[in-house]
Amino acid sequence: GAEQREKQYRAHRGFGDRRGGVISARTYFYADEAKCDQHMETFLRCIDASSGSSEDGFSAIKLTALGRPQFLLQFSEVLVKWRRFFHQMAAEQGQAGRAALEMKLEVEKLQEALANLGIATKAESQHWFTGENLGVSGTVDLLDWNSLIDSRTKLSKLLLVPSMQTGQLEPLLSRFTEEEDLQMKRMLQRIDVLAKRAMEKGVKLMVDAEQSYFQPAISRLTLEMQRLFNRDRAIIFNTYQCYLKEAYDNVTVDMELSRREGWHFGTKLVRGAYMEQERERAAQIGYEDPINPTYEKTNEMYHRCLDYILEEIKHSRKANVMVASHNEDTVKFTLHRMMELGIHPSEKKVYFGQLLGMCDHITFPLGE
């Protein structure tokens, strides 16, 4: 089962051209580092233009325009393996089927499992679960688990994967050439430059969602920017695709992180732009279709995620949402819930965008 699931996060030559089956989203391909620098300069000009034309402007970027997508694929594999290991341990402790944030592992049992798997002795893992909050209650939840890799200061130590040969967690960068290592670092530097310019100009920076096999890495890097730049207000917005089966879990887990750390949660909610391609890839390669089975299920997911965020705005005023729905009913739903919850438009916590569709320009025939 694990082998089948991991196929989603591996490069497949037959799907190297990501334009197939996608007509509503721009696709970037890696040419060289100079081209990535050009994309960054274009994004910087867009941020400047948004600042000059609006007091409350937005600008959107795609991370695949800023570096080698292969890094995002490999990083996603690491993050997914790390999270699945947590869910496996939760299942062994009788918690299968619970919502992500409701799973709490008993630290002693987790240490025993790590020792039995040969990853670390109980003595070696003892220091993993020390600190102001981690493990104090005798349990570890998903955010605590993620903090085990957050606590490492260098990205190279963040990228860890289980080795079947040694049973240990080994740095992913051991698989990178020196040039690939530099490409990864340059990508992170470009992201940092854009976030700093957005903050300087007072522009909200939306990081677009992309294919599901890139998305864990894109979301993780966006969260890291939010932790740095969203201390006083929402500058960085993460994008959640509600046609994904795991959308609600992703929203709730990330929002809980913002609550615990005290920063402002910024999100853009979309339905998704890669459905045909995602389903074809899943069917041909052999992993579970990540997309909700019906249009109605996607609508339910969108409204469920949106309602959760609106409730957070009501209670804390430390969340912002861009309703990028392409859907009249969703706009009406949002306005109705805002009235019920007492969220006034003047608060600028709820935004509406992409009401006419994802397109560069719209041409109307004369006379219409």
Side-chain angles (χ1 to χ4, degrees):
E3 175 67 21
Q4 182 190 48
R5 289 192 299 270
E6 302 307 337
K7 291 178 180 179
Q8 184 173 1
Y9 300 96
R10 292 179 186 157
H12 295 273
R13 186 175 297 276
F15 291 89
D17 187 342
R18 304 191 306 281
R19 292 169 296 189
V22 179
I23 59 173
S24 58
R26 189 181 299 279
T27 300
Y28 290 91
F29 292 92
Y30 181 79
D32 51 39
E33 293 299 293
K35 190 66 174 177
C36 293
D37 286 335
Q38 290 177 19
H39 291 153
M40 182 187 72
E41 293 298 329
T42 299
F43 289 151
L44 287 171
R45 290 196 296 272
C46 290
I47 292 170
D48 293 343
S50 182
S51 174
S53 61
S54 171
E55 293 182 0
D56 198 28
F58 283 83
S59 190
I61 64 172
K62 281 185 178 285
L63 294 198
T64 51
L66 298 173
R68 188 167 174 259
Q70 181 71 9
F71 159 65
L72 296 173
L73 194 67
Q74 291 176 288
F75 191 11
S76 290
E77 179 187 9
V78 173
L79 296 172
V80 168
K81 282 185 175 181
W82 190 261
R83 186 163 177 163
R84 283 180 180 155
F85 185 81
F86 175 86
H87 283 282
Q88 179 185 342
M89 294 297 99
E92 292 186 5
Q93 292 191 19
Q95 300 185 45
R98 291 189 183 181
L101 283 176
E102 294 176 0
M103 294 180 179
K104 297 184 185 297
L105 306 184
E106 294 182 31
V107 171
E108 288 194 10
K109 290 183 178 179
L110 176 58
Q111 290 175 315
E112 290 174 4
L114 293 171
N116 292 337
L117 290 168
I119 292 175
T121 66
K122 194 168 183 179
E124 289 171 337
S125 66
Q126 193 73 37
H127 70 282
W128 291 12
F129 306 101
T130 58
E132 185 177 349
N133 298 311
L134 183 60
V136 172
S137 64
T139 62
V140 170
D141 67 11
L142 181 59
L143 291 178
D144 295 328
W145 180 249
N146 287 341
S147 75
L148 295 178
I149 52 176
D150 287 342
S151 63
R152 294 166 170 80
T153 56
K154 293 185 178 180
L155 188 68
S156 60
K157 293 182 179 180
L158 237 172
L159 303 180
L160 301 172
V161 290
S163 168
M164 299 301 293
Q165 288 74 32
T166 66
Q168 301 293 316
L169 294 173
E170 297 180 348
L172 177 64
L173 289 188
S174 62
R175 302 182 184 181
F176 279 53
T177 65
E178 183 176 352
E179 176 56 29
E180 288 172 334
D181 188 12
L182 290 174
Q183 290 170 0
M184 178 192 69
K185 291 175 180 176
R186 292 187 195 115
M187 181 184 201
L188 299 174
Q189 289 167 355
R190 293 180 188 111
I191 297 170
D192 189 61
V193 167
L194 293 171
K196 287 178 177 176
R197 178 68 67 89
M199 172 166 274
E200 174 192 338
K201 296 290 185 176
V203 172
K204 297 173 178 61
L205 191 64
M206 299 184 295
V207 180
D208 274 353
E210 304 194 46
Q211 284 88 349
S212 64
Y213 41 95
F214 294 136
Q215 197 53 43
I218 291 172
S219 288
R220 179 54 181 268
L221 295 175
T222 305
L223 276 176
E224 294 303 317
M225 286 195 288
Q226 289 181 313
R227 299 168 89 177
L228 288 172
F229 296 101
N230 286 11
R231 306 306 304 183
D232 300 319
R233 62 188 186 279
I235 293 291
I236 308 299
F237 280 56
N238 201 0
T239 301
Y240 296 88
Q241 300 159 303
C242 294
Y243 68 2
L244 294 178
K245 296 173 182 176
E246 60 182 18
Y248 183 76
D249 275 352
N250 292 337
V251 169
T252 55
V253 168
D254 292 350
M255 186 177 286
E256 177 60 24
L257 180 64
S258 74
R259 292 189 193 113
R260 293 187 187 184
E261 298 183 344
W263 44 268
H264 289 249
F265 184 79
T267 180
K268 171 184 167 187
L269 283 185
V270 301
R271 278 172 168 75
Y274 308 97
M275 183 175 70
E276 291 181 12
Q277 185 188 88
E278 291 276 13
R279 285 183 165 160
E280 182 184 358
R281 188 177 189 269
Q284 288 195 25
I285 294 172
Y287 59 87
E288 182 185 351
D289 183 355
I291 307 295
N292 283 317
T294 65
Y295 174 79
E296 289 73 22
K297 287 294 184 183
T298 292
N299 276 347
E300 289 175 17
M301 180 68 78
Y302 194 105
H303 289 181
R304 186 184 184 195
C305 292
L306 176 56
D307 202 50
Y308 187 84
I309 297 165
L310 293 175
E311 288 281 356
E312 181 70 12
I313 293 173
K314 173 188 175 181
H315 293 295
S316 77
R317 260 45 182 190
K318 294 188 74 171
N320 296 62
V321 60
M322 165 66 81
V323 182
S325 67
H326 309 270
N327 187 284
E328 180 181 354
D329 289 338
T330 294
V331 173
K332 291 178 178 178
F333 171 86
T334 307
L335 294 174
H336 176 71
R337 290 296 287 140
M338 288 174 67
M339 291 179 63
E340 287 185 333
L341 297 171
I343 302 170
H344 196 273
S346 63
E347 296 181 68
K348 296 184 178 180
K349 295 294 184 182
V350 181
Y351 302 87
F352 296 89
Q354 297 178 188
L355 303 182
L356 295 176
M358 297 175 68
C359 51
D360 294 317
H361 59 83
I362 302 173
T363 303
F364 294 99
L366 290 175
E368 293 191 10

